[in-house]
Amino acid sequence: MDFFVVQILTGLANAAALFLVASGLSIIFGVTRVVNFSHGSFYMLGAYIAYSLMTVLPGFIGFWASILLTGVAVGLIGLIVELGVLRPIYKSPELFQLVATFGVILVIQDLTLLIWGPDDLIGKRSPGFEGVVKIGDQLLPAYDLVLIFLSFLVLGGLWYLFNKTRAGILVRAATQDREMVGALGVNQSWLFSGVFFLGSALAGIGGAAQLPKGGADLLMDFNILAPVFVVVVIGGMGSIPGAFVAALIISELNVFGVQLLPQSTLVLMFVVMAVVLIFRPWGLFGRPEIVGSHGSQGPPEAPLRAFSGRLWLVLAACALALAVVPLFGGNFLQVLLADVIIACLFATSLHFILGLGGLVSFGHAATFGGGAYAAALMVQYAETPMELALLLAPLAAGLLALVIGWFCVRLSGVYFAMLTLAFAQVVWSIAFQWSEVTGGDDGILGIWPSAWASSTTAYYYLVLALGIGGITTLLFMAYTPFGYALRGSRDSALRSEAIGINVRLVQWSAFIFAGMMSGLSGALFVFAKGSIFPTELEIARSFDALIIVFLGGVQSLFGPLAGGVVFTLLQDWLSRFEYWRLCLGLMIIAIVILLPNGLVGVGHWVRGRFGRNADPLSDAEEEAA
Amino acid sequence: MLELDRINSFYGRAHILHDLSLSVAEGEVVALLGRNGAGKSTTMKSIMRLVAAKSGKISYAGRDITALPPHNIAKLGVGYVPEERRIFTDLTILENLEVGRQTPRAGAPEWTPGKLFKLFPNLEERRNNLGGAMSGGEQQMLTIARTLMGNPKFVLLDEPSEGLAPVIVEQVAFTIRELKKLGLTILLSEQNLHFAKLVADRAYIIERGSVQYDGTIEELENNEEVRNAYLSV
């Protein structure tokens, strides 16, 4: 009995930080509709800043003053991010804001490394609560009780704020219809800045409060992100009580899961999320996103131009140019170009569902790593030859996409994105935790191509053939009846249904097909590198594909190709510097703000600007005439 | 008091308003008549800058408001009652009113929830109910009340009689006449000439995004040709 009480209390204490971070994310999303990926970074900064403050401010008062000051400091950092990064792009599609916040993650990662160094920091214990409390014959750290108290205090405070103050009422109103709030005379800029400050401050306090328990390290930002997303999805986006209940469920589950099935803790929370979403697709306390209720961002997407013979010629010329590279280029160039082609295939497969289908997946790494692991496992355990592995790996990835897609295509928008991310984390945690089979963190080594393809040049040609083949198939699919159905479903699910298109089935099929192609790129990757690690399944990998697609331009079929080339070369070049994340992050932010239509958009802009009159009035009149 | 000078507005690439001009004098109730899709709502939204006019000039009380953001226009005393009502369904009636509240304005009647409950008695007993739990008629009352909480001098009413039972329509008409008595200037859009006749002094007829006719309500009533051309269904 005592054992259970202590376990429950431990779960409650663990829920505190999770709840603080998740409620902050939820509040920010509710009003600004920005899924702030850098929220985990604010949590990490909270821990580091509190660490420094606590070394300056000693004692009981110093400890709590540090936590409070950390909240203010991180809130101000959030405000800087809002004003400097997000404000210029609120009018851009929501996806740009995501990519921008990913840039912020990279910047904060390197700045934290720069300021506090690479070593993990161990937090001081809270003065006055160093000891343990005896419950029956069980022991509980006294600080756990403090954390429990703190989470209830914050819950009560937020309840008061949102129900009893004008600012809170405005935030709730804006969560539902921010344009109307503006039309009633409320300056939305203040509201946006306000919620960003509050949300970031909560994340910062979360990081600071868990410092005596968990310390501070550089992986905190990504590590908290998956559980926080799970909590927000289970609880319902924008709901504070939802975040509280979901944080409790997840934390209790973790505490008891460790006792019963220690190997399954990471997977467990995703299983709970999947179960909740089957019965309540919008989370426990959430409500369905009404399509278009917040106004679609930006003008409707222009139809793709017909795939003219000229474009095929360009593609063929590129393939030909790549084919003659080994005649003069060295091994290094061939390896680099193989990387570029693999990245392009990976990104094109994401673009297939994202650009054509309007399904923004945050977990595309699942099928990339899934294909790679499938190939590696087949070679490792069944001594499968490379040729067969390359054939079966896409099928395995397709099977994975079939399962993931079945859940995900029931949702749309942000929920779809979060769910795909969560599933990718499931796959990652299986690869990471099931070390008997997957080697865990050590990965699987020695996965080399068959003898005939083992030279750099031979493998380069193999990548070229399969990569270009895959990319061409994906591009070609855009102009098949299936591609039209997919694009129709993106532009209006309702009207597509009305003319007899089974939107879910179309989206599910597209998801599976994209998964297969992504799996192919993963399989090509594993034989190119000779090894596979769980890092290929990480959030950062999914984001590589997203960044490539956005860099290139979402609304263009050739965007992912242009983006893939630029991004891979850029990363290759930047990774030679010590603080390359900082450079890459700043570059991403700059691109998002300055080139809202991606690289391909620059070409269109130049043509529109200098080719003919760009005045919208005369544009529209020309069209009418 | 309000002047629109050759406004052009777009939804995406669709050109909705074509060189639309109109003016409303202080103390007037002006009706904007026209069929579905004629551009009435877009005119309202362009005034509030919920849709940004691509060219033309909008001035209010002698000030150019063409490029002002919506909240600044509202702060100048322009109240907007949207066609879709856009009640905050998760907020109670009192909270809905709180969102609309602005500081008192010189030269405009000052509203409190108490005063509004006298004008809309139905709302009082449901003051702590959620906005989403109300009937269409009550929601229409609440949207008007919410806008009045901003103490406006000028009110834009987008299709206030749409989809309401006859009894409620009468009540809305009564409210508009009360507001006129208090000195408010009103621009309302309508498909229904009968309703416009009850409340308006003057009318514009718009069709395909530009003004086709303007005159007093009496003139319009006597002009069968215009009525048949633009208003008959």
Side-chain angles (χ1 to χ4, degrees), chain B residues 13-35:
Chain B
R13 314 192 78 170
H15 194 169
I16 309 291
L17 299 185
H18 299 258
D19 287 332
L20 185 130
S21 301
L22 61 82
S23 65
V24 183
E26 192 161 358
E28 259 191 322
V29 176
V30 174
L32 207 53
L33 296 164
R35 295 193 181 100

Side-chain angles (χ1 to χ4, degrees), chain A residues 45 68 103 177 237 248 276 284 312 319 346 406 472 522 531 552 578 594 604 611 615:
Chain A
L45 277 177
L68 219 60
D177 187 346
M237 294 284 319
L248 274 187
V276 168
L284 294 174
W312 281 114
F346 179 40
W406 186 82
T472 313
S531 56
E578 197 181 350
L594 300 175
H604 286 238
D615 177 25

Side-chain angles (χ1 to χ4, degrees), chain A residues 14-233:
Chain A
N14 292 347
L18 203 51
F19 163 62
L20 285 172
V21 181
S23 61
L25 185 72
S26 225
I27 295 168
I28 291 176
F29 171 80
V31 175
T32 64
R33 299 281 132 178
V34 173
V35 180
N36 179 21
F37 264 92
S38 54
H39 210 64
S41 308
F42 294 153
Y43 168 71
M44 178 172 79
L45 277 177
Y48 276 97
I49 291 174
Y51 179 86
S52 293
L53 282 174
M54 282 173 198
T55 52
V56 185
L57 307 169
F60 181 80
I61 297 183
F63 179 84
W64 291 105
S66 299
I67 289 188
L68 219 60
L69 284 175
T70 301
V72 175
V74 177
L76 289 175
I77 293 168
L79 202 60
I80 292 169
V81 169
E82 198 267 334
L83 292 174
V85 179
L86 293 166
R87 174 125 324 163
I89 52 169
Y90 276 132
K91 291 263 161 64
S92 310
E94 290 173 351
L95 309 172
F96 279 80
Q97 299 155 9
L98 292 173
V99 174
T101 60
F102 189 72
V104 173
I105 294 182
L106 296 177
V107 171
I108 291 180
Q109 255 174 2
D110 263 3
L111 287 181
T112 312
L113 176 66
L114 201 66
I115 298 171
W116 284 281
D119 297 328
D120 293 0
L121 303 178
I122 295 162
K124 285 208 192 87
R125 282 194 286 174
S126 162
F129 301 99
E130 289 105 337
V132 288
V133 180
K134 234 178 151 182
I135 297 173
D137 56 351
Q138 298 281 322
L139 298 176
L140 182 78
Y143 189 66
D144 276 10
L145 294 175
V146 176
L147 284 177
I148 295 170
F149 176 72
L150 184 69
S151 54
F152 277 101
L153 191 72
V154 170
L155 180 66
L158 289 176
W159 179 87
Y160 183 85
L161 178 70
F162 286 117
N163 289 287
K164 298 291 167 199
T165 67
R166 175 170 167 83
I169 290 171
L170 292 181
V171 167
R172 278 163 60 216
T175 299
Q176 196 183 344
D177 187 346
R178 64 186 189 203
E179 191 187 64
M180 191 62 225
V181 173
L184 288 167
V186 178
N187 188 346
Q188 293 183 55
S189 309
W190 282 104
L191 223 48
F192 280 32
S193 301
V195 293
F196 243 92
F197 177 83
L198 177 66
S200 312
L202 285 171
I205 291 173
Q210 66 77 53
L211 188 63
K213 243 174 112 86
D217 61 73
L218 287 167
L219 297 174
M220 283 172 77
D221 52 351
F222 274 129
N223 285 347
I224 192 89
L225 213 50
V228 160
F229 275 15
V230 168
V231 163
V232 169
V233 168

Side-chain angles (χ1 to χ4, degrees), chain A residues 413-557:
Chain A
V414 178
Y415 282 86
F416 177 88
M418 295 247 176
L419 198 56
T420 47
L421 178 116
F423 272 107
Q425 288 301 102
V426 175
V427 180
W428 171 82
S429 44
I430 292 172
F432 189 78
Q433 277 197 326
W434 200 10
S435 44
E436 295 86 352
V437 174
T438 62
D441 210 11
D442 300 328
I444 302 171
L445 308 174
I447 313 297
W448 297 108
S450 304
W452 64 268
S454 59
S455 78
T456 304
T457 303
Y459 196 72
Y460 171 76
Y461 277 119
L462 182 67
V463 169
L464 185 63
L466 289 179
I468 298 283
I471 290 168
T472 313
T473 315
L474 283 162
L475 295 182
F476 178 75
M477 287 284 277
Y479 295 96
T480 58
F482 179 77
Y484 290 126
L486 185 62
R487 281 147 65 187
S489 308
R490 170 196 69 196
D491 292 338
S492 173
L494 213 60
R495 278 175 235 171
S496 302
E497 290 273 3
I499 58 169
I501 294 170
N502 185 340
V503 168
R504 259 192 207 169
L505 187 66
V506 166
Q507 291 180 336
W508 193 23
S509 313
F511 195 84
I512 296 167
F513 183 67
M516 290 171 67
M517 287 301 161
S518 159
L520 176 64
S521 65
L524 288 172
F525 175 86
V526 74
F527 286 108
K529 303 293 168 202
S531 56
I532 177 78
F533 302 98
T535 43
E536 300 312 325
L537 287 160
E538 275 177 1
I539 299 173
R541 172 57 75 173
S542 296
F543 260 92
D544 284 351
L546 277 171
I547 290 168
I548 290 172
V549 169
F550 287 104
L551 189 63
V554 181
Q555 300 192 2
S556 163
L557 272 183

Side-chain angles (χ1 to χ4, degrees), chain A residues 318-383:
Chain A
C318 287
L320 200 68
L322 286 169
V324 297
V325 161
L327 299 181
F328 57 86
N331 278 359
F332 175 77
L333 184 64
Q334 291 174 37
V335 169
L336 185 62
L337 284 178
D339 282 352
V340 168
I341 296 166
I342 290 170
C344 283
L345 176 59
F346 179 40
T348 309
S349 70
L350 175 66
H351 182 265
F352 185 70
I353 48 173
L354 192 157
L356 303 180
L359 301 167
V360 184
S361 168
F362 286 178
H364 209 52
T367 45
F368 178 84
Y373 263 100
L377 290 170
M378 280 186 270
V379 172
Q380 178 93 334
Y381 293 101
E383 282 165 28

